[in-house]
Amino acid sequence: MSAEPITQNYKSSVDDRELVWVPLSDGRKLAARIVLPKNASEDPVPVILEYLPYRRRDGTRARDEINMYWFAANGYAFVRLDISGTGDSDGLVEDEYVKREQDDGTEAINWLAAQDWCSGSVGMIGISWGGFNGLQIAARRPPALKAVISLCSTVDRYNDDVHFMGGCLLNDNMDWGSAFFTFGALPPDPKLVGDKKWKQMWKTRIDGLDLYPALWVEHQRRDAFWKHGSVQEDYDLIQCPVLAVSGWADGYPTAVFKLIENLNTPSKGIIGPWGHKYPNQGVPGPAIGFLQECKRWWDHWLKDIDTGVDKDPDMRLFLQDSKRPAPHFDTREGRWLGVPSWPSKSIKEDTYFFNGNRLSSIQNKTTINTQLTVSSPQTTGIHGGEWCAYGLGKVAPELPLDQREDDSGSLIFDGDPLLKAISIVGEGRVRLNISSDVPQALIAVRLNNIHPNGAVERISYGVLNLSHRESDENPDPLTPNKFYEVTVRLKGVAQVVPKGHQLRISVSTSYWPLIWPSPTPTVITIDPSRSTVSLPILHNEDNFHNTKFLPPEHATPLNMTVKKVGNESRTFTHKFDDLSTKFVVKRDDGSSIIDDIGTEISFTKEKVLSIKQDDPLSAAMEFNCTAHYKRDDWDARVETTTHASCDKTHFYLSGIIKAFSKGELFASRKFNKKIERDCI
C-alpha cells in the first residue's frame, strides 16, 4: 500500500489572501488566491503559479489547500489564478489554450514578479490544462519565468491529447468536451464579484459558449488549429528548465519522453504508476513525496540553492511488476529506475518477427506465403479501460480488464514462454505490411502478456487511422487491396514480463469505446513475413542511480461537511436481440459544504455510449452533466446534454445548456452541428 501522507497544519505561519485581482492591460481582471509566508513583504520570496479554468474558490480548493499551504510554509508564494471567463475572472474562456490565455498568463507573471512580496522569480506548475499552459507560456519566454513543472501534459495537441490518437477520433473528445461545455457556463461567486455583477457575467459566459466537441471535430487533420499550443513545433522556444511528470495509467506519458529527448534546456522526467493525479496523491500507489521534489526543483532554479537536481537522472521511471489484470489497483508492485541519460544505451530495441501466426525473436527464413485476415466486431476493445484514468481511487474501475474477450475478435500472434524475464522500458513500435478492402480503415494493436494461468494482461497499445499512415496533415485514403507498410506506435511503459509468460500481439479493426469506428466494416489482411515488432528492452542497469523518494507530505486537508455521499459506476449491457452494446458511466460526487466559505457544491455526470456489433454507423454517445452551487441566498445550477452520432459522410453533434437561478430558468441555448467526415 502507498504510504499515508505526513500532514501538518501550517495556517499560523502563512498569509492566505482569498481574493487578489490581477489587472490586465485591456481592463479585465483575473481572480487569484495567494498563500504566502507571513514575512514575505519584508523578505520577498519566489512565486509558484498554477493557472487553471477549474474555479480556484470552489473547484480545486481541496487540492490547493494541501499544496498551497505546504509551499508557503516552505518559503514560496503560491498563486492559483483563474483563466479569463472561469471562476471569478473577467472575460470569456473561448476555447482551450487560446493565444489570449497565453497573453494573459504572461501579463500575470510580469505583475506577480513586480509585487513587493515577490523576489522577482516565478515558476509555473500544473497538471493537465495547467501542465499544457506552463509549457506554452514558457515558449513565450516571459523574463521572470525561471522554471516549469509540467504534469500530465502534451507537446502535441493533435495526436497526444483527448481529441485524436494515431489520426483516430477519440471518444474522449466528446467526453471531455461535454464537461468543458458545462464548465464554460458556470457562474462567478456573487460574494466576490458583487450581487449586481454576477448574473451579467454568467449570462455573458453562456452567450459566449461554443459546442466545443464539435469545434474540435471540425479540425480532423493536424492543421494550424492544433499546431497552435503544440510546443513540439519548436522546442527551442522553451529556454527555462522543465521537470516533466506523468504516470503509466495516465493518458499523457508520451510528453515526458519527448520533452527529455528534445529540449535544449535542463530537463528531467518522472513517470510513476499513477493515473491523472499529482504524485503526492498518486493512485495506483506508491505515492511519493512529490512536494519535496518540487521544492528541490524550485530551490535550485528560483533561489539558486544547489539541491543537486541538475545531477538527477534524466528519467526516474517506475518499473512495474507483472500483475493479473484488474479494473483497479490501489498500488502496483515494482521498483524505481534511475536512468542517467535518455535515450539510454542500456535500453535496446529487440526485434520480434511474425512467423505465420506466431511471434518469435528469430526470423523464419523459410518463405511463408500465408496472409492472415481479420474483421473485428465493432465491440472489440470493450475491455480496454479508459484512455486516461482520471478518478482512480473512486468506486468505478478504469483500468484494462482481462484481454481474452477482445482477443477473440482480433488477429493474434503468440510468442513462446519466455526463458527469462524481460523488462520493457519505453515506447514500442509495430510495423505491419497490410491491406484493406475499403478506402477508410483503422487498426488497433495491443501488446499483451499471457499469464501461465491464461489471464491476458494488456501492457501497451496503439491505434492508427490508415489514411494517416504517412501524414496527419494530408491524409490519403487507401487503395483497396493494395499492401502498405505502416507503423503503429505503442504507448510508453516500464514493465517486467516474467519468465514463463508469453508475449502476444493482437490486431483488430475496431477499438470501441476508446475510438470512433470507421464508417464501414473492414477486412484487414496482414502479410506476417513482412511485419515486425520492435520493443525497448532493458538489457542492463550499469550506472543507473539508486532512486528513492521521500514519503508524501502535505498540509492539513480542507474541512468539508459531507451532506450526501457520492458514488460512481461503470457498466456494459449486451442485448441479444439486436446485438447492441451499451457502455454507461455514472458519476455522482454527492454534495458537500466547503466549511470556510459556506458553499455547497455538487456535480453529476452520465455518459452513455452505444453501438451494434456489426454496424459502425450505429455508434452514438450522450452525456448529461449537472453542476450546482448553493449558499444562503445563492442557488445556481447548470445542466447540459450533448449527443453525437454519424452516417457514412458526416458527424452530427448537438448540445443543450440550461442555467437556473433559485430553481428558475435563467438562460438556455441549443447547438446543432453537421460536420463532414474527413478520412475518419
Side-chain angles (χ1 to χ4, degrees):
M1 298 293 292
S2 293
E4 287 297 318
I6 300 167
T7 64
Q8 188 169 339
N9 190 330
Y10 297 108
K11 292 195 174 182
S12 62
S13 63
V14 304
D15 178 12
D16 185 348
R17 302 181 182 180
E18 178 68 24
L19 177 62
V20 176
W21 292 111
V22 177
L24 299 174
S25 56
D26 64 2
R28 286 176 298 125
K29 301 189 303 293
L30 301 185
R33 182 186 181 193
I34 301 176
V35 181
L36 65 167
K38 279 194 170 178
N39 65 342
S41 293
E42 294 75 38
D43 185 11
V45 295
V47 164
I48 302 168
L49 171 64
E50 190 168 18
Y51 181 40
L52 294 172
Y54 303 132
R55 303 178 66 87
R56 86 213 177 286
R57 180 157 167 84
D58 50 31
T60 62
R61 195 177 189 92
R63 188 181 73 205
D64 296 342
E65 195 84 0
I66 64 173
N67 290 349
M68 295 176 77
Y69 277 84
W70 191 94
F71 281 115
N74 280 275
Y76 290 87
F78 199 109
V79 178
R80 256 293 283 115
L81 186 66
D82 285 340
I83 288 171
S84 183
T86 69
D88 301 307
S89 290
D90 291 340
L92 292 175
V93 67
E94 300 174 39
D95 189 15
E96 300 176 313
Y97 322 120
V98 295
K99 180 178 181 295
R100 190 264 317 136
E101 175 190 325
Q102 298 167 24
D103 292 342
D104 291 355
T106 300
E107 275 200 70
I109 287 171
N110 294 338
W111 184 85
L112 291 168
Q115 300 310 296
D116 62 3
W117 41 263
C118 179
S119 66
S121 294
V122 178
M124 287 191 73
I125 191 171
I127 183 171
S128 201
W129 192 308
F132 284 44
N133 65 26
L135 296 173
Q136 292 159 356
I137 293 173
R140 300 287 298 273
R141 303 184 195 173
L145 182 61
K146 305 299 184 184
V148 167
I149 299 178
S150 180
L151 299 96
C152 306
S153 65
T154 191
V155 299
D156 180 1
R157 291 185 56 217
Y158 177 78
N159 246 338
D160 194 31
D161 193 10
V162 298
H163 309 294
F164 296 90
M165 180 181 185
C168 299
L169 176 61
L170 285 165
N171 286 334
D172 275 68
N173 179 82
M174 191 73 182
D175 190 342
W176 156 240
S178 300
F180 184 37
F181 183 58
T182 307
F183 298 158
L186 298 180
D189 190 324
K191 188 174 286 187
L192 299 191
V193 303
D195 288 331
K196 294 182 179 180
K197 186 179 178 182
W198 79 274
K199 281 191 175 181
Q200 182 55 53
M201 290 178 67
W202 193 14
K203 183 67 164 56
T204 299
R205 291 178 183 184
I206 294 169
D207 289 343
L209 276 181
D210 202 339
L211 185 60
Y212 301 109
L215 172 64
W216 303 329
V217 172
E218 287 172 347
H219 298 271
Q220 295 166 43
R221 305 182 181 206
R222 193 176 187 278
D223 57 13
F225 180 87
W226 299 112
K227 292 179 182 179
H228 167 76
S230 294
V231 299
Q232 73 172 23
E233 293 298 304
D234 188 350
Y235 285 106
D236 288 343
L237 291 176
I238 297 177
Q239 296 187 344
C240 68
V242 174
L243 175 61
V245 183
S246 189
W248 300 128
D250 182 49
Y252 296 97
T254 299
V256 179
F257 294 114
K258 286 191 172 183
L259 287 165
I260 306 312
E261 291 168 3
N262 291 286
L263 287 179
N264 292 312
T265 188
S267 57
K268 304 293 180 182
I270 300 174
I271 308 179
W274 322 293
H276 205 66
K277 297 279 190 181
Y278 265 82
N280 50 309
Q281 297 179 295
V283 180
I288 64 170
F290 182 65
L291 301 187
Q292 300 97 299
E293 282 298 311
C294 294
K295 184 177 185 300
R296 292 181 65 232
W297 191 257
W298 301 134
D299 282 354
H300 193 95
W301 301 114
L302 304 186
K303 291 186 175 180
D304 295 323
I305 299 171
D306 184 3
T307 62
V309 295
D310 55 328
K311 302 177 184 66
D312 284 345
D314 277 2
M315 285 281 198
R316 284 171 285 179
L317 306 175
F318 188 79
L319 180 63
Q320 300 178 135
D321 291 346
S322 174
K323 196 158 187 172
R324 184 183 175 91
H328 173 77
F329 299 117
D330 287 333
T331 190
R332 285 295 300 249
E333 288 75 26
R335 61 189 177 89
W336 286 97
L337 299 174
V339 187
S341 59
W342 191 270
S344 172
K345 294 181 180 179
S346 296
I347 299 170
K348 302 183 184 301
E349 277 198 349
D350 283 11
T351 300
Y352 295 79
F353 302 93
F354 296 106
N355 292 327
N357 64 351
R358 302 294 296 174
L359 189 67
S360 174
S361 59
I362 301 173
Q363 186 173 22
N364 190 334
K365 298 295 184 180
T366 304
T367 301
I368 300 175
N369 296 319
T370 303
Q371 293 179 348
L372 304 175
T373 63
V374 61
S375 183
S376 305
Q378 297 301 319
T379 50
T380 303
I382 206 165
H383 285 75
E386 296 288 342
W387 175 79
C388 181
Y390 289 99
L392 284 165
K394 294 187 177 182
V395 175
E398 297 174 284
L399 299 178
L401 303 173
D402 193 308
Q403 298 292 290
R404 280 178 280 196
E405 183 172 335
D406 287 345
D407 282 349
S408 70
S410 306
L411 188 60
I412 59 174
F413 302 87
D414 290 353
D416 294 329
L418 294 175
L419 299 178
K420 63 178 181 178
I422 61 172
S423 296
I424 302 170
V425 181
E427 298 175 310
R429 290 174 295 161
V430 179
R431 299 178 181 87
L432 297 173
N433 187 260
I434 197 168
S435 74
S436 166
D437 67 332
V438 292
Q440 183 58 49
L442 64 85
I443 55 168
V445 179
R446 286 171 287 123
L447 171 63
N448 291 336
N449 169 16
I450 307 173
H451 291 235
N453 64 4
V456 181
E457 174 190 11
R458 195 189 76 187
I459 298 174
S460 184
Y461 75 101
V463 297
L464 178 64
N465 178 344
L466 293 174
S467 293
H468 287 239
R469 62 195 177 276
E470 294 182 356
S471 171
D472 291 318
E473 296 182 45
N474 299 292
D476 182 23
L478 301 162
T479 299
N481 303 315
K482 176 183 176 180
F483 276 85
Y484 297 89
E485 301 286 343
V486 303
T487 299
V488 181
R489 179 176 60 85
L490 301 179
K491 182 183 176 184
V493 71
Q495 183 164 326
V496 173
V497 184
K499 176 182 177 181
H501 290 224
Q502 297 168 261
L503 294 177
R504 168 179 286 175
I505 293 293
S506 303
V507 182
S508 60
T509 59
S510 61
Y511 207 51
W512 183 91
L514 192 80
I515 59 177
W516 198 278
S518 296
T520 55
T522 306
V523 178
I524 290 292
T525 302
I526 292 176
D527 183 346
S529 67
R530 298 184 178 183
S531 303
T532 59
V533 180
S534 297
L535 297 181
I537 305 298
L538 177 62
H539 285 271
N540 65 73
E541 298 181 35
D542 295 347
N543 302 314
F544 275 30
H545 294 222
N546 180 21
T547 295
K548 294 181 179 179
F549 292 96
L550 294 171
E553 292 183 6
H554 57 63
T556 305
L558 182 69
N559 289 324
M560 299 184 71
T561 300
V562 177
K563 292 190 66 177
K564 176 190 170 187
V565 177
N567 63 80
E568 189 167 332
S569 64
R570 179 173 278 104
T571 59
F572 291 110
T573 304
H574 299 286
K575 289 180 66 177
F576 293 106
D577 54 355
D578 63 355
L579 297 180
S580 65
T581 298
K582 186 176 288 188
F583 174 46
V584 181
V585 179
K586 295 182 178 180
R587 169 185 169 185
D588 181 353
D589 290 354
S591 61
S592 300
I593 298 173
I594 303 173
D595 292 347
D596 60 346
I597 62 174
T599 303
E600 181 180 342
I601 57 173
S602 62
F603 181 79
T604 63
K605 177 182 174 184
E606 179 185 61
K607 70 176 180 179
V608 181
L609 284 69
S610 58
I611 200 167
K612 292 183 179 179
Q613 181 174 297
D614 298 317
D615 182 10
L617 300 182
S618 66
M621 294 186 284
E622 181 172 297
F623 296 81
N624 295 283
C625 297
T626 300
H628 199 173
Y629 301 86
K630 294 170 64 177
R631 185 187 61 242
D632 301 330
D633 62 346
W634 183 41
D635 186 334
R637 186 173 83 251
V638 171
E639 298 177 356
T640 63
T641 297
T642 54
H643 186 272
S645 60
C646 70
D647 58 25
K648 279 190 176 181
T649 58
H650 290 83
F651 294 106
Y652 301 89
L653 288 86
S654 63
I656 299 173
I657 164 83
K658 294 181 180 180
F660 299 86
S661 178
K662 297 184 179 179
E664 296 184 359
L665 185 65
F666 170 74
S668 65
R669 292 187 67 195
K670 292 183 179 181
F671 300 80
N672 286 286
K673 297 285 184 76
K674 178 182 178 181
I675 303 167
E676 187 173 358
R677 297 180 79 144
D678 181 12
C679 294
I680 283 184

